[in-house]
Amino acid sequence: MPLSYPAGTLAEHKACRNNVAVFDVSHLRRIYLKGASDFLQWRLTNNVKMLEPMRAHYTHMLFEDGSVLDDLICICLSPNEHLLIVNAGNYEAVLEDLKVRMKEFQSGKFLEVGQKRGTGAKLKTIELETDSDRQNVFLAVQGPKTSELLSEVFSKELLKSKQLVKKNHAQTFSYRGEEILMLGTGYTGEAGVECVVPEGVAKEFLSDLVSAGASLAGLSARDILRLEAGYPLYGNELGVGITPLQAQLGWVVDFEKGDFLGREALQKELEVKPSQLLFGFKIENDRRPIRNGDEIFFEDKLVGRVTSGNYSPTLSCAIALGFLNTGFLKTAGGSFEASALGQEVEIRGRQNRKAMICSPTGFLRK
Amino acid sequence: MNTPEDLSYTKDHEWVRDAGAGIYRVGITDYAQDALGDVVFVEIKPTGTEVVVGDAFGEAESTKSVSDLYSPISGTIKSVNEKLAEQPELVNSDPYGEGWMCEIELGKDSPKEELLTASQYSELIS
Protein backbone atom coordinates (compact mmCIF):
# COMPACT_ATOMS: atom_id res chain seq x y z
CA MET A 1 0.00 0.00 0.00
CA PRO A 2 1.59 3.29 -1.07
CA LEU A 3 1.39 6.46 1.04
CA SER A 4 -0.71 7.98 -1.71
CA TYR A 5 -1.72 7.55 -5.34
CA PRO A 6 -1.23 10.29 -7.98
CA ALA A 7 -4.53 11.94 -6.96
CA GLY A 8 -2.91 12.85 -3.64
CA THR A 9 -3.82 12.39 0.02
CA LEU A 10 -6.43 15.17 0.22
CA ALA A 11 -8.27 14.01 -2.91
CA GLU A 12 -8.26 10.44 -1.59
CA HIS A 13 -9.57 11.63 1.77
CA LYS A 14 -12.34 13.56 0.05
CA ALA A 15 -13.29 10.54 -2.07
CA CYS A 16 -13.77 8.51 1.09
CA ARG A 17 -15.82 11.16 2.91
CA ASN A 18 -18.03 12.02 -0.09
CA ASN A 19 -18.04 9.01 -2.39
CA VAL A 20 -16.09 5.72 -2.18
CA ALA A 21 -12.42 4.94 -1.63
CA VAL A 22 -10.76 1.54 -1.89
CA PHE A 23 -7.69 0.67 0.18
CA ASP A 24 -5.53 -2.41 -0.34
CA VAL A 25 -5.13 -3.41 3.30
CA SER A 26 -3.71 -6.87 2.65
CA HIS A 27 -0.95 -6.00 5.11
CA LEU A 28 -3.53 -6.67 7.83
CA ARG A 29 -3.07 -10.39 8.31
CA ARG A 30 -5.83 -13.00 8.51
CA ILE A 31 -5.59 -15.89 10.96
CA TYR A 32 -8.20 -18.65 10.89
CA LEU A 33 -8.82 -20.76 14.00
CA LYS A 34 -11.02 -23.82 14.30
CA GLY A 35 -12.21 -25.20 17.64
CA ALA A 36 -10.85 -22.12 19.40
CA SER A 37 -13.88 -20.35 20.90
CA ASP A 38 -13.03 -21.34 24.51
CA PHE A 39 -9.41 -20.38 23.94
CA LEU A 40 -10.25 -17.03 22.35
CA GLN A 41 -12.68 -16.26 25.15
CA TRP A 42 -9.68 -16.48 27.48
CA ARG A 43 -7.09 -14.91 25.17
CA LEU A 44 -9.09 -11.86 23.96
CA THR A 45 -10.82 -9.11 25.96
CA ASN A 46 -14.21 -8.92 24.25
CA ASN A 47 -16.83 -11.65 24.70
CA VAL A 48 -16.28 -14.09 21.83
CA LYS A 49 -19.16 -16.28 23.05
CA MET A 50 -21.59 -13.44 22.42
CA LEU A 51 -20.66 -13.39 18.74
CA GLU A 52 -23.25 -15.16 16.62
CA PRO A 53 -22.11 -16.78 13.37
CA MET A 54 -21.30 -14.16 10.71
CA ARG A 55 -20.85 -11.36 13.21
CA ALA A 56 -17.67 -9.40 13.92
CA HIS A 57 -16.34 -7.28 16.74
CA TYR A 58 -13.32 -5.21 17.68
CA THR A 59 -11.24 -6.70 20.48
CA HIS A 60 -7.84 -6.62 22.15
CA MET A 61 -5.17 -9.20 22.90
CA LEU A 62 -3.32 -8.26 26.08
CA PHE A 63 -0.02 -8.88 27.78
CA GLU A 64 -0.23 -10.10 31.37
CA ASP A 65 0.39 -6.51 32.57
CA GLY A 66 -2.84 -5.46 30.87
CA SER A 67 -1.17 -3.52 28.08
CA VAL A 68 -2.08 -4.23 24.48
CA LEU A 69 -0.23 -6.83 22.36
CA ASP A 70 -2.59 -6.24 19.43
CA ASP A 71 -5.92 -4.68 18.59
CA LEU A 72 -7.85 -6.76 16.11
CA ILE A 73 -11.17 -7.74 14.57
CA CYS A 74 -12.60 -11.13 15.51
CA ILE A 75 -15.19 -12.65 13.19
CA CYS A 76 -17.27 -15.72 14.03
CA LEU A 77 -17.50 -17.55 10.70
CA SER A 78 -19.34 -20.54 12.17
CA PRO A 79 -19.75 -21.84 15.74
CA ASN A 80 -16.49 -23.70 15.25
CA GLU A 81 -14.43 -21.22 13.20
CA HIS A 82 -13.12 -17.73 13.93
CA LEU A 83 -11.16 -15.33 11.78
CA LEU A 84 -8.80 -12.80 13.39
CA ILE A 85 -7.62 -9.75 11.45
CA VAL A 86 -4.44 -8.49 13.06
CA ASN A 87 -1.97 -5.65 12.56
CA ALA A 88 0.87 -6.25 10.11
CA GLY A 89 3.55 -5.22 12.60
CA ASN A 90 2.21 -7.56 15.26
CA TYR A 91 1.52 -10.56 13.05
CA GLU A 92 4.60 -12.60 13.99
CA ALA A 93 4.14 -11.86 17.70
CA VAL A 94 0.43 -12.70 17.61
CA LEU A 95 1.01 -15.92 15.71
CA GLU A 96 3.75 -17.00 18.11
CA ASP A 97 1.63 -16.03 21.11
CA LEU A 98 -1.40 -17.97 19.82
CA LYS A 99 0.68 -21.10 19.28
CA VAL A 100 2.29 -20.96 22.73
CA ARG A 101 -0.85 -19.91 24.62
CA MET A 102 -2.97 -22.52 22.84
CA LYS A 103 -0.73 -25.21 24.26
CA GLU A 104 -0.87 -23.63 27.70
CA PHE A 105 -4.62 -23.35 27.47
CA GLN A 106 -5.09 -26.91 26.31
CA SER A 107 -2.85 -28.22 29.07
CA GLY A 108 -5.09 -26.46 31.58
CA LYS A 109 -2.18 -24.44 32.94
CA PHE A 110 -4.21 -21.24 32.87
CA LEU A 111 -6.53 -22.67 35.53
CA GLU A 112 -3.82 -22.00 38.10
CA VAL A 113 -4.07 -18.26 37.66
CA GLY A 114 -7.59 -17.92 36.39
CA GLN A 115 -11.13 -18.81 37.15
CA LYS A 116 -12.13 -22.44 37.01
CA ARG A 117 -13.53 -23.69 33.79
CA GLY A 118 -16.91 -25.40 34.01
CA THR A 119 -16.60 -29.12 34.63
CA GLY A 120 -17.18 -31.31 31.66
CA ALA A 121 -15.63 -28.85 29.22
CA LYS A 122 -13.81 -30.88 26.63
CA LEU A 123 -10.39 -29.96 25.37
CA LYS A 124 -10.74 -29.48 21.64
CA THR A 125 -7.99 -29.59 19.11
CA ILE A 126 -7.36 -26.12 17.76
CA GLU A 127 -6.42 -25.77 14.10
CA LEU A 128 -4.69 -22.66 12.82
CA GLU A 129 -4.39 -21.40 9.25
CA THR A 130 -3.28 -18.07 7.80
CA ASP A 131 -3.97 -16.02 4.68
CA SER A 132 -0.91 -17.64 3.11
CA ASP A 133 -2.68 -20.99 3.40
CA ARG A 134 -5.96 -19.53 2.17
CA GLN A 135 -4.40 -17.31 -0.52
CA ASN A 136 -6.56 -14.23 -0.22
CA VAL A 137 -6.18 -10.45 -0.13
CA PHE A 138 -7.96 -7.85 1.98
CA LEU A 139 -9.57 -4.72 0.54
CA ALA A 140 -11.38 -1.94 2.40
CA VAL A 141 -14.17 -0.23 0.47
CA GLN A 142 -15.26 2.82 2.44
CA GLY A 143 -17.48 5.83 1.91
CA PRO A 144 -21.12 6.95 1.93
CA LYS A 145 -21.80 5.61 -1.58
CA THR A 146 -20.32 2.14 -0.96
CA SER A 147 -23.72 0.44 -1.07
CA GLU A 148 -24.64 1.81 -4.50
CA LEU A 149 -21.20 1.09 -5.87
CA LEU A 150 -21.20 -2.53 -4.70
CA SER A 151 -24.67 -3.00 -6.15
CA GLU A 152 -23.19 -2.09 -9.50
CA VAL A 153 -20.31 -4.53 -9.14
CA PHE A 154 -22.46 -7.39 -7.88
CA SER A 155 -25.59 -6.29 -9.73
CA LYS A 156 -27.80 -9.33 -9.18
CA GLU A 157 -26.91 -10.43 -5.67
CA LEU A 158 -26.88 -7.09 -3.91
CA LEU A 159 -29.80 -5.54 -5.73
CA LYS A 160 -31.87 -8.48 -4.58
CA SER A 161 -30.88 -8.05 -0.95
CA LYS A 162 -31.05 -4.22 -1.24
CA GLN A 163 -28.80 -3.99 1.73
CA LEU A 164 -25.15 -3.41 2.26
CA VAL A 165 -23.62 -5.64 4.88
CA LYS A 166 -24.71 -4.14 8.22
CA LYS A 167 -22.22 -2.81 10.72
CA ASN A 168 -20.34 -5.67 12.38
CA HIS A 169 -22.09 -8.26 10.23
CA ALA A 170 -20.40 -10.60 7.77
CA GLN A 171 -21.80 -11.95 4.53
CA THR A 172 -20.46 -13.93 1.60
CA PHE A 173 -21.05 -12.98 -2.02
CA SER A 174 -20.19 -15.03 -5.06
CA TYR A 175 -18.05 -13.22 -7.59
CA ARG A 176 -16.78 -14.77 -10.83
CA GLY A 177 -17.21 -18.23 -9.33
CA GLU A 178 -15.32 -17.40 -6.14
CA GLU A 179 -16.57 -16.39 -2.72
CA ILE A 180 -15.86 -12.95 -1.25
CA LEU A 181 -16.33 -12.49 2.49
CA MET A 182 -17.62 -9.00 3.21
CA LEU A 183 -17.39 -7.50 6.68
CA GLY A 184 -19.31 -4.48 7.90
CA THR A 185 -16.18 -3.03 9.46
CA GLY A 186 -13.79 -0.19 8.72
CA TYR A 187 -11.21 2.31 9.91
CA THR A 188 -12.41 5.55 8.37
CA GLY A 189 -15.56 6.59 10.25
CA GLU A 190 -17.60 6.10 7.07
CA ALA A 191 -20.07 3.41 6.07
CA GLY A 192 -18.41 0.66 4.12
CA VAL A 193 -17.09 -2.86 4.06
CA GLU A 194 -13.84 -4.75 4.26
CA CYS A 195 -13.51 -7.71 1.93
CA VAL A 196 -11.54 -10.94 2.07
CA VAL A 197 -11.03 -11.70 -1.62
CA PRO A 198 -9.51 -14.89 -3.10
CA GLU A 199 -6.25 -14.03 -4.86
CA GLY A 200 -7.47 -15.45 -8.17
CA VAL A 201 -10.14 -12.75 -8.60
CA ALA A 202 -8.55 -9.91 -6.61
CA LYS A 203 -7.31 -7.92 -9.63
CA GLU A 204 -10.66 -8.18 -11.39
CA PHE A 205 -12.54 -7.17 -8.26
CA LEU A 206 -10.32 -4.15 -7.65
CA SER A 207 -10.62 -3.06 -11.27
CA ASP A 208 -14.42 -3.51 -11.15
CA LEU A 209 -14.55 -1.29 -8.05
CA VAL A 210 -12.45 1.39 -9.71
CA SER A 211 -14.49 1.19 -12.94
CA ALA A 212 -17.65 1.66 -10.87
CA GLY A 213 -16.20 4.88 -9.45
CA ALA A 214 -14.15 3.99 -6.37
CA SER A 215 -10.91 5.97 -5.90
CA LEU A 216 -7.71 4.18 -4.95
CA ALA A 217 -6.50 5.55 -1.63
CA GLY A 218 -3.25 5.14 0.29
CA LEU A 219 -1.88 4.97 3.78
CA SER A 220 -1.68 8.75 4.36
CA ALA A 221 -5.37 9.27 3.61
CA ARG A 222 -6.25 6.25 5.72
CA ASP A 223 -4.27 7.68 8.63
CA ILE A 224 -6.04 11.05 8.49
CA LEU A 225 -9.44 9.37 8.14
CA ARG A 226 -8.89 7.17 11.18
CA LEU A 227 -7.51 10.10 13.18
CA GLU A 228 -10.62 12.15 12.42
CA ALA A 229 -12.75 9.17 13.48
CA GLY A 230 -10.70 8.86 16.68
CA TYR A 231 -9.59 5.28 15.99
CA PRO A 232 -6.34 4.24 17.67
CA LEU A 233 -3.28 3.24 15.68
CA TYR A 234 -1.24 0.43 17.21
CA GLY A 235 2.21 1.77 18.09
CA ASN A 236 0.78 5.27 18.70
CA GLU A 237 -2.36 5.09 20.86
CA LEU A 238 -1.99 1.39 21.77
CA GLY A 239 1.02 -0.75 22.52
CA VAL A 240 3.37 -2.01 25.17
CA GLY A 241 2.67 -0.09 28.38
CA ILE A 242 -0.74 1.21 27.24
CA THR A 243 -3.90 -0.51 28.48
CA PRO A 244 -7.35 -0.44 26.83
CA LEU A 245 -8.62 1.58 29.81
CA GLN A 246 -5.98 4.26 29.26
CA ALA A 247 -6.95 4.46 25.60
CA GLN A 248 -10.60 4.98 26.71
CA LEU A 249 -11.50 1.66 25.08
CA GLY A 250 -12.90 -0.03 28.17
CA TRP A 251 -15.89 -1.15 26.10
CA VAL A 252 -13.78 -3.80 24.37
CA VAL A 253 -13.11 -5.46 27.73
CA ASP A 254 -15.82 -7.72 29.14
CA PHE A 255 -15.14 -8.13 32.85
CA GLU A 256 -18.35 -10.17 33.25
CA LYS A 257 -17.37 -13.02 30.97
CA GLY A 258 -14.93 -14.81 33.27
CA ASP A 259 -11.20 -15.03 33.15
CA PHE A 260 -9.05 -13.64 30.36
CA LEU A 261 -5.36 -12.98 30.05
CA GLY A 262 -4.54 -9.55 31.49
CA ARG A 263 -7.71 -9.36 33.56
CA GLU A 264 -5.99 -9.16 36.92
CA ALA A 265 -3.90 -6.14 35.91
CA LEU A 266 -6.87 -4.34 34.38
CA GLN A 267 -9.00 -4.91 37.45
CA LYS A 268 -6.30 -3.36 39.60
CA GLU A 269 -6.20 -0.40 37.26
CA LEU A 270 -9.98 -0.01 37.56
CA GLU A 271 -9.63 0.35 41.33
CA VAL A 272 -7.05 3.13 41.11
CA LYS A 273 -7.31 5.88 38.51
CA PRO A 274 -5.39 5.06 35.28
CA SER A 275 -2.13 7.03 35.21
CA GLN A 276 -2.89 8.44 31.76
CA LEU A 277 -5.93 8.78 29.50
CA LEU A 278 -6.29 9.32 25.77
CA PHE A 279 -7.99 12.52 24.60
CA GLY A 280 -8.60 14.43 21.42
CA PHE A 281 -7.19 17.93 20.86
CA LYS A 282 -8.35 20.57 18.44
CA ILE A 283 -6.97 23.99 17.44
CA GLU A 284 -9.86 25.77 15.76
CA ASN A 285 -9.13 28.21 12.91
CA ASP A 286 -5.54 26.99 12.60
CA ARG A 287 -4.55 24.79 9.69
CA ARG A 288 -0.98 24.13 10.80
CA PRO A 289 -0.85 20.40 11.66
CA ILE A 290 -0.16 19.17 15.19
CA ARG A 291 2.61 16.55 15.04
CA ASN A 292 3.32 13.25 16.82
CA GLY A 293 5.63 13.83 19.73
CA ASP A 294 4.53 17.42 20.44
CA GLU A 295 4.38 18.02 24.19
CA ILE A 296 1.25 19.06 26.06
CA PHE A 297 1.43 21.63 28.86
CA PHE A 298 -1.10 22.81 31.43
CA GLU A 299 -0.23 25.89 33.46
CA ASP A 300 3.39 25.51 32.28
CA LYS A 301 3.62 21.93 33.50
CA LEU A 302 4.30 19.05 31.13
CA VAL A 303 1.14 16.90 31.38
CA GLY A 304 1.14 14.76 28.27
CA ARG A 305 2.23 14.09 24.72
CA VAL A 306 0.70 13.89 21.28
CA THR A 307 0.60 10.37 19.81
CA SER A 308 -0.99 11.24 16.44
CA GLY A 309 -1.57 14.65 14.94
CA ASN A 310 -2.28 16.21 11.57
CA TYR A 311 -4.46 18.64 9.67
CA SER A 312 -8.12 17.60 9.45
CA PRO A 313 -9.50 18.28 5.96
CA THR A 314 -13.03 17.69 7.29
CA LEU A 315 -12.72 20.34 10.02
CA SER A 316 -10.13 22.52 8.21
CA CYS A 317 -8.08 22.74 11.39
CA ALA A 318 -5.37 20.97 13.34
CA ILE A 319 -6.38 17.91 15.38
CA ALA A 320 -4.57 15.31 17.46
CA LEU A 321 -4.83 12.37 19.79
CA GLY A 322 -2.63 12.23 22.85
CA PHE A 323 -2.29 11.03 26.40
CA LEU A 324 -2.75 13.26 29.44
CA ASN A 325 -1.43 12.35 32.88
CA THR A 326 -4.47 12.06 35.10
CA GLY A 327 -2.88 13.73 38.09
CA PHE A 328 -3.02 17.31 36.89
CA LEU A 329 -6.69 18.24 36.68
CA LYS A 330 -8.96 18.66 39.68
CA THR A 331 -11.83 16.26 39.22
CA ALA A 332 -14.23 18.52 41.16
CA GLY A 333 -16.52 15.67 42.06
CA GLY A 334 -16.95 14.45 38.49
CA SER A 335 -14.81 12.01 36.57
CA PHE A 336 -11.47 13.08 35.19
CA GLU A 337 -12.70 12.13 31.70
CA ALA A 338 -15.62 14.52 31.92
CA SER A 339 -13.86 17.38 33.68
CA ALA A 340 -11.00 17.48 31.18
CA LEU A 341 -13.32 18.08 28.21
CA GLY A 342 -13.38 21.66 27.01
CA GLN A 343 -10.31 22.63 29.06
CA GLU A 344 -7.49 24.46 27.36
CA VAL A 345 -3.95 23.12 27.19
CA GLU A 346 -0.86 24.30 25.36
CA ILE A 347 0.66 22.10 22.67
CA ARG A 348 4.35 22.80 22.17
CA GLY A 349 5.96 21.69 18.93
CA ARG A 350 7.65 24.00 16.48
CA GLN A 351 5.25 26.59 17.92
CA ASN A 352 3.35 26.88 21.20
CA ARG A 353 -0.39 26.89 20.62
CA LYS A 354 -3.55 26.73 22.73
CA ALA A 355 -5.66 23.64 22.07
CA MET A 356 -9.00 22.44 23.39
CA ILE A 357 -9.39 19.01 24.95
CA CYS A 358 -12.19 16.94 23.40
CA SER A 359 -13.31 13.34 23.39
CA PRO A 360 -10.95 11.14 21.34
CA THR A 361 -13.90 10.09 19.19
CA GLY A 362 -15.51 13.52 19.06
CA PHE A 363 -14.00 15.15 15.96
CA LEU A 364 -16.67 14.09 13.49
CA ARG A 365 -19.65 14.47 15.82
CA LYS A 366 -22.00 17.18 14.76
CA MET B 1 8.91 16.72 -13.49
CA ASN B 2 8.19 20.14 -14.90
CA THR B 3 11.23 22.48 -14.80
CA PRO B 4 10.55 25.68 -16.78
CA GLU B 5 13.50 26.94 -18.81
CA ASP B 6 13.05 30.62 -17.92
CA LEU B 7 13.59 30.20 -14.16
CA SER B 8 16.62 29.86 -11.90
CA TYR B 9 16.81 27.21 -9.20
CA THR B 10 18.51 26.30 -5.92
CA LYS B 11 19.71 22.94 -4.73
CA ASP B 12 17.09 23.30 -1.95
CA HIS B 13 14.36 23.09 -4.62
CA GLU B 14 13.26 26.73 -4.75
CA TRP B 15 12.75 28.55 -8.03
CA VAL B 16 13.43 32.23 -8.75
CA ARG B 17 11.80 34.38 -11.44
CA ASP B 18 13.29 37.74 -12.38
CA ALA B 19 10.28 40.06 -12.19
CA GLY B 20 12.31 43.13 -13.22
CA ALA B 21 13.31 46.25 -11.27
CA GLY B 22 15.37 44.18 -8.85
CA ILE B 23 12.38 42.12 -7.70
CA TYR B 24 12.54 38.33 -7.72
CA ARG B 25 9.55 36.03 -7.27
CA VAL B 26 10.23 32.82 -5.32
CA GLY B 27 8.46 29.48 -4.96
CA ILE B 28 9.14 25.76 -4.62
CA THR B 29 9.65 23.44 -7.58
CA ASP B 30 7.38 20.77 -8.98
CA TYR B 31 9.81 18.21 -7.64
CA ALA B 32 9.62 19.77 -4.14
CA GLN B 33 5.82 19.92 -4.03
CA ASP B 34 5.63 16.31 -5.17
CA ALA B 35 8.09 15.18 -2.51
CA LEU B 36 6.33 17.21 0.19
CA GLY B 37 2.88 15.86 -0.64
CA ASP B 38 -0.38 17.73 -0.12
CA VAL B 39 0.49 21.13 1.34
CA VAL B 40 -2.01 22.19 4.03
CA PHE B 41 -0.27 25.19 5.57
CA VAL B 42 2.20 27.82 4.39
CA GLU B 43 3.72 30.56 6.52
CA ILE B 44 5.95 33.26 5.02
CA LYS B 45 7.77 35.91 7.07
CA PRO B 46 6.00 39.28 6.83
CA THR B 47 6.65 41.94 4.21
CA GLY B 48 9.66 44.05 5.15
CA THR B 49 11.62 41.15 6.64
CA GLU B 50 15.27 41.09 5.60
CA VAL B 51 16.42 37.67 4.45
CA VAL B 52 19.87 36.29 3.78
CA VAL B 53 20.57 33.67 1.17
CA GLY B 54 20.18 30.21 2.70
CA ASP B 55 18.06 31.43 5.63
CA ALA B 56 14.50 30.26 6.12
CA PHE B 57 11.95 32.77 4.80
CA GLY B 58 9.02 30.55 5.78
CA GLU B 59 7.64 27.04 6.23
CA ALA B 60 5.41 24.72 4.27
CA GLU B 61 3.60 21.88 6.01
CA SER B 62 2.04 18.93 4.26
CA THR B 63 -0.05 16.07 5.61
CA LYS B 64 3.17 14.14 6.09
CA SER B 65 5.91 16.60 7.01
CA VAL B 66 7.11 20.15 7.56
CA SER B 67 9.73 21.83 5.41
CA ASP B 68 11.66 25.08 5.80
CA LEU B 69 11.69 27.38 2.79
CA TYR B 70 15.18 28.73 2.11
CA SER B 71 15.79 32.10 0.57
CA PRO B 72 17.60 31.81 -2.78
CA ILE B 73 18.82 35.43 -2.60
CA SER B 74 19.51 38.11 0.00
CA GLY B 75 17.23 41.11 0.27
CA THR B 76 13.90 42.29 1.63
CA ILE B 77 10.52 40.55 1.34
CA LYS B 78 8.37 42.98 -0.65
CA SER B 79 5.19 40.92 -0.96
CA VAL B 80 3.72 37.61 0.15
CA ASN B 81 1.21 35.42 -1.72
CA GLU B 82 -1.78 35.97 0.58
CA LYS B 83 -3.86 33.38 -1.31
CA LEU B 84 -1.84 30.56 0.24
CA ALA B 85 -3.33 31.19 3.69
CA GLU B 86 -6.69 29.89 2.50
CA GLN B 87 -5.55 27.83 -0.50
CA PRO B 88 -2.19 26.22 0.30
CA GLU B 89 -3.09 23.50 -2.21
CA LEU B 90 -2.07 25.98 -4.96
CA VAL B 91 1.52 25.05 -4.13
CA ASN B 92 0.74 21.53 -5.39
CA SER B 93 -1.54 22.36 -8.29
CA ASP B 94 0.44 25.28 -9.74
CA PRO B 95 3.90 25.49 -8.13
CA TYR B 96 5.35 27.92 -10.72
CA GLY B 97 2.22 30.07 -11.04
CA GLU B 98 -0.53 30.66 -8.48
CA GLY B 99 1.49 28.75 -5.87
CA TRP B 100 4.33 31.31 -5.67
CA MET B 101 5.46 32.18 -2.14
CA CYS B 102 6.91 35.69 -1.98
CA GLU B 103 8.72 38.44 -3.85
CA ILE B 104 12.14 39.55 -2.64
CA GLU B 105 13.89 42.80 -3.55
CA LEU B 106 17.55 42.02 -4.11
CA GLY B 107 19.76 43.81 -1.57
CA LYS B 108 21.93 46.61 -3.03
CA ASP B 109 25.28 45.00 -2.34
CA SER B 110 24.12 41.39 -2.52
CA PRO B 111 24.98 39.76 -5.79
CA LYS B 112 22.63 37.04 -6.98
CA GLU B 113 24.13 33.91 -5.54
CA GLU B 114 25.10 30.98 -7.64
CA LEU B 115 21.70 29.84 -8.84
CA LEU B 116 21.22 26.80 -11.06
CA THR B 117 19.89 26.86 -14.60
CA ALA B 118 16.92 24.67 -15.52
CA SER B 119 19.17 22.05 -17.08
CA GLN B 120 21.50 22.02 -14.05
CA TYR B 121 18.52 21.64 -11.75
CA SER B 122 16.99 18.90 -13.91
CA GLU B 123 20.26 17.03 -13.64
CA LEU B 124 20.25 17.46 -9.85
CA ILE B 125 16.84 15.86 -9.43
CA SER B 126 17.21 13.15 -12.06
Side-chain angles (χ1 to χ4, degrees), chain A residues 107-143:
Chain A
S107 74
K109 183 182 165 190
F110 81 103
L111 292 174
E112 293 162 22
V113 289
Q115 186 188 3
K116 275 185 192 167
R117 204 156 31 152
T119 48
K122 276 186 217 156
L123 289 179
K124 289 182 200 159
T125 312
I126 301 175
E127 292 170 37
L128 187 152
E129 279 189 345
T130 69
D131 43 67
S132 319
D133 304 310
R134 301 278 181 115
Q135 299 197 318
N136 54 42
V137 305
F138 196 45
L139 299 176
V141 189
Q142 303 274 299

Side-chain angles (χ1 to χ4, degrees), chain B residues 46-61:
Chain B
T47 303
T49 304
E50 302 224 342
V51 291
V52 175
V53 64
D55 279 2
F57 68 82
E59 293 174 343
E61 298 216 19

Side-chain angles (χ1 to χ4, degrees), chain A residues 10 287-288 291 310 350, chain B residues 38 40 43 59 61-63:
Chain A
L10 294 180
R287 298 174 58 107
R288 186 194 286 267
R291 300 291 182 185
N310 213 319
R350 280 166 71 102
Chain B
D38 282 343
V40 294
E43 185 178 62
E59 293 174 343
E61 298 216 19
S62 72
T63 53

Side-chain angles (χ1 to χ4, degrees), chain A residues 177-344:
Chain A
E178 298 273 5
E179 195 172 76
I180 291 180
L181 174 68
M182 234 177 251
L183 311 171
T185 54
Y187 194 49
T188 62
E190 292 298 331
V193 295
E194 295 180 301
C195 311
V196 181
V197 185
E199 258 173 32
V201 295
K203 273 189 185 161
E204 287 88 343
F205 184 57
L206 186 62
S207 104
D208 277 356
L209 291 171
V210 171
S211 299
S215 306
L216 286 169
L219 206 56
S220 295
R222 185 173 158 83
D223 190 54
I224 294 176
L225 290 157
R226 72 92 195 165
L227 174 62
E228 288 182 335
Y231 293 141
L233 173 65
Y234 192 92
N236 293 35
E237 287 75 37
L238 294 173
V240 176
I242 303 173
T243 68
L245 303 179
Q246 293 169 8
Q248 299 223 41
L249 293 169
W251 62 271
V252 307
V253 183
D254 186 348
F255 285 101
E256 308 295 313
K257 72 173 182 176
D259 195 29
F260 60 88
L261 202 149
R263 178 191 178 113
E264 208 173 323
L266 287 192
Q267 244 165 352
K268 269 187 199 149
E269 193 178 36
L270 268 184
E271 287 159 23
V272 297
K273 195 166 56 174
S275 58
Q276 57 173 4
L277 281 174
L278 188 71
F279 284 98
F281 302 89
K282 186 158 67 168
I283 308 179
E284 281 177 355
N285 304 313
D286 189 344
R287 298 174 58 107
R288 186 194 286 267
I290 303 170
R291 300 291 182 185
N292 302 13
D294 286 358
E295 293 180 324
I296 305 170
F297 284 77
F298 182 76
E299 291 173 351
D300 268 335
K301 267 185 233 149
L302 180 66
V303 295
R305 69 193 160 82
V306 170
T307 48
S308 295
N310 213 319
Y311 163 74
S312 161
T314 304
L315 302 178
S316 301
C317 75
I319 61 168
L321 292 172
F323 283 98
L324 292 178
N325 305 332
T326 49
F328 84 97
L329 280 176
K330 298 223 163 50
T331 50
S335 71
F336 177 85
E337 288 93 319
S339 68
L341 300 180
Q343 295 258 17
E344 201 177 68

